[in-house]
Amino acid sequence: MTNLNLKAATRDITGKKTRFLRRQGITPDHIFGHGIESLALQCDTTELQRIIAQGGTTRLIDINIEEEKKPRSAFIREIQRDAISGQLLHVDFYQIKKTEKMTADIPIVLVGEAPATKSKENMIEQLLTQLGVSCLPDKIPPQIEIDLSPLEEAGQTIHVSDIILDADVTVTTDPEQPVVKVSRIKVAVEKEEVAEEVEAEEAEAEAAEAAAEAAEAPAAEETKEPEA
């Protein structure tokens, strides 16, 4: 998968004055990394939004800074937005070295249809949404897809150990951890249990009523006056 490309320029405006940049459709950014000096940048907000939508925090981005001849390879480390309006406020980029391994949490995406869900009593339960991996930067997958088609009945589970990735990618998450499983819908189970309890109570009530009637019958015969 090819890297994303983003144009940027160095930034002199800092602090509260950056609000004037945002009004002009420009987002303030920072790029930093191991062994490099942090650098203040600014990017076109519309272009940056597109990059975020396409790659999130798991796609490698080539940042082309106007004053530099070669692009810098980086990942998005943090995205800051206004809590109320959702406006993009600031983005931090982490510059990497392509020859050094790095760790990342990759989103897990469920694909396909589980035959078990054909029964209304079953549901798919996702227990893990991200998978930790370690590999070279250009080997990091943007997402990890889990096929649900092998899940045919309640109780079946897919564990981390069942996920197959490229040989260059090492999984750092516990292999015994469950990722997704087929569960019984609790509401349906509870309804069945309630129905069984009601039937049992009704049966007990009928038996008690029959026993009471049987006990009353001989007593009525004993108190009956003899015919003249």
Side-chain angles (χ1 to χ4, degrees):
M1 184 176 292
T2 58
N3 299 345
L4 299 174
N5 287 280
L6 177 66
K7 293 181 180 180
T10 55
R11 172 170 54 91
D12 296 324
I13 298 175
T14 58
K16 294 182 178 180
K17 293 181 179 180
T18 55
R19 67 181 185 276
F20 297 112
L21 291 176
R22 298 187 187 96
R23 292 173 184 174
Q24 299 172 43
I26 298 173
T27 299
D29 316 290
H30 265 97
I31 186 168
F32 62 95
H34 178 68
I36 69 168
E37 186 178 352
S38 176
L39 180 63
L41 301 175
Q42 61 186 45
C43 301
D44 178 77
T45 299
T46 301
E47 183 68 8
L48 188 54
Q49 293 275 29
R50 181 185 65 81
I51 293 293
I52 293 172
Q54 288 184 334
T57 58
T58 58
R59 284 284 298 275
L60 195 58
I61 304 168
D62 286 335
I63 301 177
N64 298 279
I65 302 173
E66 288 181 353
E67 297 80 358
E68 298 180 357
K69 294 181 179 180
K70 294 183 178 180
R72 299 192 185 197
S73 297
F75 287 96
I76 293 177
R77 173 58 62 88
E78 184 178 1
I79 301 170
Q80 296 179 17
R81 294 183 182 274
D82 184 89
I84 298 176
S85 66
Q87 178 190 11
L88 187 61
L89 300 178
H90 188 93
V91 173
D92 282 336
F93 295 98
Y94 184 80
Q95 184 174 336
I96 54 87
K97 294 181 179 180
K98 292 185 177 181
T99 57
E100 293 183 358
K101 285 187 176 183
M102 61 177 297
T103 59
D105 292 325
I106 310 303
I108 294 174
V109 178
L110 305 183
V111 298
E113 183 177 355
T117 57
K118 292 180 179 179
S119 170
K120 295 181 179 179
E121 297 179 355
N122 295 332
M123 64 177 289
I124 295 298
E125 188 175 1
Q126 186 171 358
L127 305 173
L128 192 67
T129 58
Q130 292 183 325
L131 187 72
V133 301
S134 173
C135 59
L136 292 175
D138 59 353
K139 296 294 183 180
I140 292 181
Q143 64 183 34
I144 295 171
E145 296 184 349
I146 302 296
D147 182 17
L148 299 179
S149 60
L151 300 176
E152 298 181 350
E153 58 186 22
Q156 283 188 299
T157 304
I158 295 176
H159 295 83
V160 169
S161 58
D162 299 319
I163 299 175
I164 300 175
L165 300 177
D166 292 341
D168 298 326
V169 181
T170 301
V171 177
T172 59
T173 304
D174 182 359
E176 298 302 318
Q177 189 165 345
V179 179
V180 61
K181 73 174 183 178
V182 182
S183 301
R184 292 288 299 277
I185 298 177
K186 294 181 180 180
V187 174
V189 174
E190 289 174 357
K191 285 183 178 180
E192 289 179 3
E193 292 176 350
V194 170
E196 290 175 357
E197 290 178 1
V198 170
E199 289 178 1
E201 291 176 358
E202 289 178 350
E204 290 179 2
E206 290 176 0
E209 185 177 347
E213 290 178 355
E216 290 176 358
E221 291 178 359
E222 291 176 2
T223 57
K224 186 175 180 181
E225 294 183 2
E227 296 180 358

